[in-house]
Amino acid sequence: MQRRSRLTDEAVDAVREAVDLIDLVSEHTKVERRGQRFVALCPFHKEKTPSLSLDPERKLYYCFGCGAGGDALRFHMELTGDTFATTIEHLARRYGIPLRRASGPDADGRPDRSERIQAALEAAYDFFRAKLRTEPVPQQYLQRRKVPSELISRFGVGYAPDDWRTMIEDLSRRIPVPDLESAGLIARSPKAPDRPYDRFRNRLMFPIRSPAGRLLAFGGRTLGDDQAKYVNTNETDHFRKGTLLYGLDAARRGIREQGRALLVEGYFDVLGAAASGIDWAVASMGTALTGQQVRLLSRYTDEVVLGYDGDRAGIEAARKAAGLMLEAGLNVRRALFPAGQDPDSLRLDEGPEAVRATVAEARDAVAIEIDDLPSRAELDPRLRAREAARVRTLIDRVGEPIARRGYFETAAERLGVKVDVLLRESAAAAERPAAPDSPEPAARPRPPVTSSIEEQVLRLTAAAPDLRGIEWPAPDAFFDPALRAIYEAMREQAQAGAERIDSGALVDVLGRRRGTDNETDRPVDRIAGLLLQRSSAFSESDESELRVSLAELGRRFARQRLNLLAREINRAQREGDMETLHRMIEEKQQLSRQLYRQSGR
Ligand SMILES: [Zn+2]
């Protein structure tokens, strides 16, 4: 095992200081000078004319073709799949920076916990791969499912043998047992806690990787009659299932080339899609799609084709997923698989052409719902009202106003009512506080609409020549965590009296952060796009747009807070918690007055 040091902020700073972005990018693609900037053919998508823009001063890149962007560290991570830590080490060696060790428990240079888990996972990966090559059971199974051997290698599918201790006995010669346990590869029974056993037995093993390709976990499908068809390595701080999409590391390039992603349910659907020539499919791994998964996907594309099973449960899941994705500002299409068929079973029954055709014919997800509405010929008015309400809540989540209006018009025509009826109902629903018995509010509420207003505010703030006299709402007004971090840093500068944003200092502050979600969402990568996209001068209308948008963000937050207060006041009343009740009623009145004043201006 390589001896590694822990990274300090100073080490990260020193590397970021030393790195030469142009030199780094030139290694992979031809760079040309254009005035102050440099341009290059983008290595992240296929193109003939250069759309990758490079800023050598702030060391940021942004591609106008595919939206890839970030700092020099991100560029290296994206191209190599290295982790943040490995990237720093690699670049430190390259630019001759000595890495000093941090003080603390690991000051002796022992690899830190995440590196030990990584080593355990990699060892298990090699073990599972080797077993697949020698054992007949998984080979026969994969043959029956007609999985091409090229795909088995591309996706690194392996096999956990049908035994309790084969893996642990093999791996514990190289990897300490506690590390295997931290990696979620072994389990212990309460009856014999000192005799750990293999967590995965007689299962086909699918490696789950970060978008950059780092191995994070495994999903195992039983080849026997185990009750649990699928089992994952247990969730750790290293691996949270709801933050990842299976297959994204392999599909990234295809998604950017196609300009869209196919979202399916399981591992075999991703393989089945790939076997049908669709190398831009990712899976939510069986569970309901999460907001984090949607945000992750939206970093790579703005159009998603839903390829869920054609049965009742699949349609229901697709509807929920569509709502989440519309809220995130994505265009959503639905591929209509026959009932009981998913991409992989359709490939086996009717061949890869059938899968390609079904995906190619995918239709706008909202339009499908509108077409499903009972027509004006349907006589039961209550049925029509109920269906209308369901579709209206879906249309409400479409962020783009012109598209939303268009959907309402089509739906009204279909239902045989005036469009105003639907629009009034929609406006009324937006004003209504949430019902008191609705589920408890999450710690941080989901963004109600696309977050593009947040990006717009940041873009304008970065370009504004005079920031004095502007009112800055609290950072909580930003729902997107990476954008919130950028806003906080900008607001700090403005409140310290800066006339304009010092973008170099901003990039320095943010560049040190690793970001959440397995290093995929570093604020500095988002700011690259915001800073490099804008080239024209700041006009007077920009100035007023900035003020209006900031105020709108403040109001959006206040409205949401009001909804939450209404629910909480209700709860406090039920529970007789008078102190909380008074405090919240007071806050509610203050907020209402504030909102009223602002809208009256
Ligand atoms: Zn690109």
Side-chain angles (χ1 to χ4, degrees), residues 42-45 47 51-52 63-68 256:
C42 174
F44 305 110
H45 83 283
E47 63 174 3
S51 33
L52 186 73
C63 173
F64 287 85
C66 68
R256 283 194 169 138

Side-chain angles (χ1 to χ4, degrees), residues 524-592:
V524 71
D525 300 329
R526 301 290 288 281
I527 207 173
L530 298 174
L531 293 178
L532 268 53
Q533 268 171 32
R534 205 191 156 80
S535 52
S536 58
F538 195 81
S539 68
E540 249 170 60
S541 68
D542 284 335
E543 156 112 37
S544 66
E545 189 183 343
L546 174 58
R547 287 174 192 272
V548 168
S549 301
L550 276 169
E552 173 53 29
L553 281 181
R555 277 198 302 275
R556 185 181 77 173
F557 179 65
R559 275 196 301 269
Q560 194 189 35
R561 178 90 192 138
L562 275 177
N563 273 343
L564 192 128
L565 282 171
R567 270 198 297 258
E568 286 295 297
I569 285 172
N570 219 294
R571 188 190 55 78
Q573 254 164 356
R574 269 201 319 271
E575 294 170 6
D577 180 353
M578 297 317 277
E579 201 191 314
T580 315
L581 187 64
H582 287 306
R583 191 164 42 77
M584 286 190 303
I585 288 178
E586 197 165 308
E587 187 186 346
K588 188 173 172 228
Q589 283 167 343
Q590 247 176 24
L591 268 177
S592 303

Side-chain angles (χ1 to χ4, degrees), residues 353-537:
E353 314 75 39
V355 178
R356 282 200 298 273
T358 307
V359 170
E361 286 158 14
R363 292 183 49 220
D364 183 279
V366 182
I368 290 177
E369 297 295 334
I370 293 175
D371 280 356
D372 280 352
L373 280 173
S375 74
R376 61 184 84 197
E378 169 63 56
L379 288 177
D380 182 348
R382 273 166 311 188
L383 176 69
R384 280 166 64 191
R386 202 179 59 219
E387 291 294 295
R390 188 174 59 73
V391 170
R392 182 184 53 67
T393 52
L394 191 65
I395 300 178
D396 276 339
R397 298 165 97 161
V398 176
E400 213 284 305
I402 296 174
R404 192 169 54 225
R405 173 82 194 197
Y407 285 133
F408 272 129
E409 278 165 3
T410 321
E413 200 174 308
R414 171 91 194 160
L415 288 161
V417 299
K418 286 215 171 69
V419 68
D420 293 350
V421 176
L422 294 180
L423 290 175
R424 261 202 310 276
E425 185 52 32
S426 168
E431 293 301 314
R432 253 195 313 267
D437 55 349
S438 64
E440 286 301 306
R444 183 168 295 283
R446 233 183 20 234
V449 287
T450 157
S451 61
S452 65
I453 183 177
E454 299 182 0
E455 293 187 340
Q456 183 63 356
V457 161
L458 297 178
R459 211 175 279 137
L460 291 169
T461 306
D466 189 356
L467 297 170
R468 289 167 306 179
I470 291 182
E471 262 182 63
W472 305 98
D476 278 340
F478 282 69
F479 295 141
D480 182 315
L483 297 180
R484 190 185 317 126
I486 296 173
Y487 174 71
E488 268 185 291
M490 286 184 172
R491 182 172 177 256
E492 218 162 86
Q493 285 192 8
Q495 288 183 336
E499 210 166 297
R500 51 188 314 158
I501 294 296
D502 177 348
S503 62
L506 200 66
V507 170
D508 270 346
V509 169
L510 297 170
R512 223 179 267 161
R513 304 230 193 146
R514 293 181 192 215
T516 52
D517 295 4
N518 303 306
E519 302 165 0
T520 54
D521 209 14
R522 288 168 68 225
V524 71
D525 300 329
R526 301 290 288 281
I527 207 173
L530 298 174
L531 293 178
L532 268 53
Q533 268 171 32
R534 205 191 156 80
S535 52
S536 58

